[in-house]
Amino acid sequence: MRTGLIATFILTVLTLAGCGQSGPLYMPADDTEQTEQTE
């Protein structure tokens, strides 16, 4: 029973440590209008 409790604790800590590590949480702006050249 103690082994299961330790495993659950370690899994919880690792899961919480990974939160927010995937980069910015917003969509990048679409820059297609700025890249057009006028002649």
Side-chain angles (χ1 to χ4, degrees):
M1 180 170 157
R2 184 176 173 104
T3 305
L5 183 63
I6 293 172
T8 303
F9 176 74
I10 291 172
L11 182 63
T12 302
V13 169
L14 290 175
T15 301
L16 291 175
C19 290
Q21 299 295 324
S22 61
L25 299 177
Y26 60 88
M27 296 295 291
D30 189 16
D31 293 337
T32 55
E33 294 176 8
Q34 295 178 356
T35 57
E36 294 177 4
Q37 295 180 354
T38 56
E39 294 182 26

